[in-house]
Amino acid sequence: MEATSTRANPLVDPGLTIWNQDVAIYLFLGGIVAGVMILSGAMRLWYKQEEPSLALRLLPWGNLALISIGMFCLFLDLENRFNSWRFYLVFKAYSPMSWGAWVLLLVYPVSAHMAWAETPAHWRETVLRKVPLLRPWGEWSVRARRNFAALSIVSGSVLGIYTGILLGAMPSRPFWNSSLLGPLFLVSGVSTGAAFMLLFRLNQGERRFLGFLDFLLILAELGIIALWIIGMAAGGEASLQALKLIFGGPYTAAFWSLVIALGLVTPAIAEFIEYKHRAIPGRGAALLVLGGGFALRWIMVYAGQHSGWASEASAGLF
Amino acid sequence: MLEQQFGMTVDTRTCVGCAACVIACKTENRLAEGYVRNWITTQTRGRFPELVMTIRSERCNHCRSAACVRACPTGASHYAAGGTVQVTGSKCTGCKACMAACPYDARYVDEQSGTVDKCTFCNHRTSRGMATTACQEVCPTRSIVFGDLNDPDSEISHLLAQRDWYTLKPDAGTRPSHYFLK
Ligand code: SF4
Ligand code: SF4
């Protein structure tokens, strides 16, 4: 006979890991996708300096691939995958997870339209000649290109904010429970999106534009992180305890070295120097930004689950 | 008459932490090996040799403002009859948003079904008109009392009116229906 009486649920105790690396990867890829959607939409609408490079025009296809990998990770994280269609039977306004499921449904068609409309005309024509059935949709998509670019900015922003709110809307975890997590993940997402784009063969003007934009985004991100820390420091006992996770606690070294020093400050300096000397931004800073963006989500997902409300203190026992 | 609002008290003066309630729940609900829906928490405070120990039998608090219900994207976690919080397995995707949202870590994933599970306040009993839970029935010190908080004549209402009590993590804002008598 088994007589376990201490709390011993293998999926909760003793380590309390509810969400693991799958969710960190999903949030990371979701952020990049949001960033690329916003940036490619914005560049289609407002960046008029030169003919867009082939790489820029093909990037939305890469986006579709990334979001598919991200969704696959989320799918892997589900414990009861056969029920995943249940997400789409209801919309629960209070549940960020529900928002996320529906937002992904919007992101797919918008990204697909963007990808198609940005594909060079002669390639599109080849496809349409082979599959004439697609012609009405294919031509309409291109005519509506600017509308889709605008929609891409909007849905990318919602996706980016949602990746933060998924964690931020959990009052149970003081490390997460901040409305700043939405903007933080959005800005970080756009920054990693820009870094992802810089990995490809963009032309010089595009590289300069994205490099300098990324510098500004990193500054904004550092500012939001500072506010988030101040918010926790100004909070109650539970928030202070949560803050200790990155001030002396187990995530201190990783947070300050991987996220702040290597992932934000170093690339920001590099990008600023490149801008000052009118150099063409390379891939080094971009890789650091991507590494830092991943580390941020990894640490957030794990550290947040270690934060909570102390029952003794709040029950007035001590 | 007000609708029923089930609640539970655990008398921390008499609870000795024998864990009979844990085993009773495990047996009643045929839980898989290694899983429990309620558990014993012991807390020691003070400075040696003047130490005070509190023992509590804990479980899902069936919160009236339940974070898990708000976080659930499918409606699998929901408020049910008697103001309890239940999980409909057939709607659960195992996304674990409810587990992340629960400040008490009262939930777990049942590995066999892949769905989330937790204390039900024995709704399979109460729905048939039974007035006790499995844990309450076996408690040798009668520390556990289950009943309708909205019925002023219930034993639980009397206890809460007469004794000092606290709920766990009140700052988390979940309004538990599970009370601990001081
Ligand atoms: S204790 Fe946790 S699982 Fe139970 S109702 Fe409250 S929030 Fe939900
Ligand atoms: S794991 Fe199940 S019960 Fe929990 S939030 Fe997800 S769908 Fe709802």
Side-chain angles (χ1 to χ4, degrees):
Chain A
M1 189 190 120
E2 198 220 352
T4 313
S5 64
T6 50
R7 203 171 79 162
N9 296 329
L11 286 174
V12 176
D13 299 313
L16 183 72
T17 305
I18 297 166
W19 284 331
N20 58 16
Q21 66 279 359
D22 296 336
V23 172
I25 296 172
Y26 159 69
L27 293 178
F28 173 62
L29 295 179
I32 297 182
V33 168
V36 176
M37 286 184 86
I38 294 170
L39 290 171
S40 51
M43 285 172 89
R44 159 57 59 197
L45 289 180
W46 300 302
Y47 183 78
K48 297 266 159 57
Q49 287 182 13
E50 57 206 321
E51 202 27 46
S53 62
L54 183 61
L56 184 68
R57 302 194 62 165
L58 291 181
L59 258 163
W61 288 108
N63 226 12
L64 274 176
L66 285 187
I67 194 72
S68 306
I69 300 172
M71 289 217 15
F72 183 66
C73 285
L74 188 65
F75 182 69
L76 282 186
D77 187 63
L78 296 182
E79 305 286 343
N80 193 14
R81 296 177 195 125
F82 291 118
N83 263 357
S84 31
W85 53 278
R86 285 275 179 185
F87 282 118
Y88 298 109
L89 288 191
V90 279
F91 169 64
K92 293 273 177 186
Y94 282 112
S95 163
M97 194 60 108
S98 180
W99 277 89
W102 287 100
V103 165
L104 287 172
L105 222 54
L106 180 70
V107 163
Y108 253 110
V110 173
S111 292
H113 279 291
M114 271 292 278
W116 171 257
E118 292 297 321
T119 304
H122 57 284
W123 292 3
R124 280 201 310 260
E125 199 40 51
T126 317
V127 175
L128 290 185
R129 237 181 281 130
K130 288 207 175 113
V131 199
L133 222 65
L134 285 180
R135 190 167 287 280
W137 165 78
E139 287 173 355
W140 168 77
S141 247
V142 177
R143 276 199 306 278
R145 173 190 279 170
R146 290 180 69 80
N147 297 342
F148 278 111
L151 227 102
S152 181
I153 297 175
V154 174
S155 42
S157 307
V158 179
L159 175 67
I161 291 184
Y162 141 73
T163 60
I165 292 184
L166 179 65
L167 307 182
M170 300 269 175
S172 51
R173 318 279 166 203
F175 193 73
W176 288 342
N177 192 209
S178 161
S179 51
L180 283 169
L181 249 64
L184 174 61
F185 276 53
L186 173 65
V187 174
S188 165
V190 182
S191 166
T192 49
F196 177 73
M197 292 167 86
L198 280 167
L199 296 181
F200 296 90
R201 292 179 54 175
L202 305 176
N203 61 35
Q204 294 191 0
E206 291 161 354
R207 297 195 84 81
R208 281 213 179 90
F209 170 73
L210 286 174
F212 186 62
L213 182 74
D214 194 39
F215 167 69
L216 297 178
L217 288 165
I218 292 179
L219 289 190
E221 198 176 331
L222 283 168
I224 299 175
I225 289 178
L227 289 175
W228 168 64
I229 289 177
I230 292 171
M232 266 196 284
E237 180 60 22
S239 303
L240 289 174
Q241 289 300 332
L243 193 56
K244 283 192 187 146
L245 288 165
I246 51 165
F247 278 91
Y251 297 94
T252 313
F255 181 78
W256 293 99
S257 62
L258 298 180
V259 179
I260 302 293
L262 281 176
L264 294 172
V265 176
T266 312
I269 295 172
E271 281 162 351
F272 184 69
I273 293 174
E274 282 163 350
Y275 170 74
K276 260 308 238 196
H277 295 277
R278 303 198 55 73
I280 315 293
R283 294 188 172 85
L287 285 171
L288 284 177
V289 167
L290 287 168
F294 183 62
L296 174 73
R297 279 142 186 100
W298 186 283
I299 292 169
M300 277 288 179
V301 166
Y302 279 94
Q305 296 176 59
H306 281 281
S307 70
W309 297 83
S311 52
E312 311 81 28
S314 61
L317 278 179
F318 284 91
Chain B
M1 215 178 87
L2 280 173
E3 268 181 36
Q4 279 181 321
Q5 171 66 54
F6 289 129
M8 186 173 274
T9 52
V10 169
D11 191 337
T12 59
R13 279 201 215 160
T14 53
C15 174
V16 291
C18 70
C21 51
V22 180
I23 304 300
C25 170
K26 226 172 137 59
T27 315
E28 172 93 5
N29 296 297
R30 296 197 190 96
L31 302 187
E33 201 175 318
Y35 290 92
V36 291
R37 286 183 185 170
N38 53 354
W39 56 90
I40 303 293
T41 300
T42 52
Q43 280 174 338
T44 312
R45 61 184 195 276
R47 234 175 124 151
F48 186 79
E50 280 150 38
L51 298 174
V52 182
M53 187 189 248
T54 306
I55 304 172
R56 285 192 299 261
S57 161
E58 295 180 2
R59 57 200 47 66
C60 164
N61 293 278
H62 293 270
C63 306
R64 277 163 280 189
S65 175
C68 55
V69 173
R70 272 201 302 275
C72 179
T74 64
S77 288
H78 62 282
Y79 297 107
T84 61
V85 172
Q86 306 292 345
V87 184
T88 307
S90 59
K91 286 187 182 175
C92 176
T93 61
C95 72
K96 294 169 283 186
C98 55
M99 288 173 63
C102 170
Y104 308 94
D105 298 328
R107 302 178 154 234
Y108 64 92
V109 176
D110 177 68
E111 263 172 350
Q112 258 168 9
S113 63
T115 57
V116 157
D117 209 345
K118 67 168 193 71
C119 159
T120 60
F121 263 179
C122 279
N123 67 338
H124 59 287
R125 288 170 164 241
T126 53
S127 61
R128 288 185 206 143
M130 286 172 78
T132 54
T133 61
C135 53
Q136 174 187 14
E137 233 165 52
V138 299
C139 180
T141 59
R142 303 197 175 201
S143 299
I144 301 176
V145 173
F146 172 80
D148 182 7
L149 298 168
N150 283 345
D151 173 2
D153 292 326
S154 65
E155 185 183 357
I156 191 169
S157 295
H158 284 296
L159 280 170
L160 290 172
Q162 288 159 6
R163 298 272 302 269
D164 278 344
W165 49 262
Y166 59 89
T167 56
L168 295 179
K169 310 188 184 187
D171 314 12
T174 50
R175 302 181 56 223
S177 305
H178 192 349
Y179 299 82
F180 297 90
L181 304 177
K182 284 191 189 174

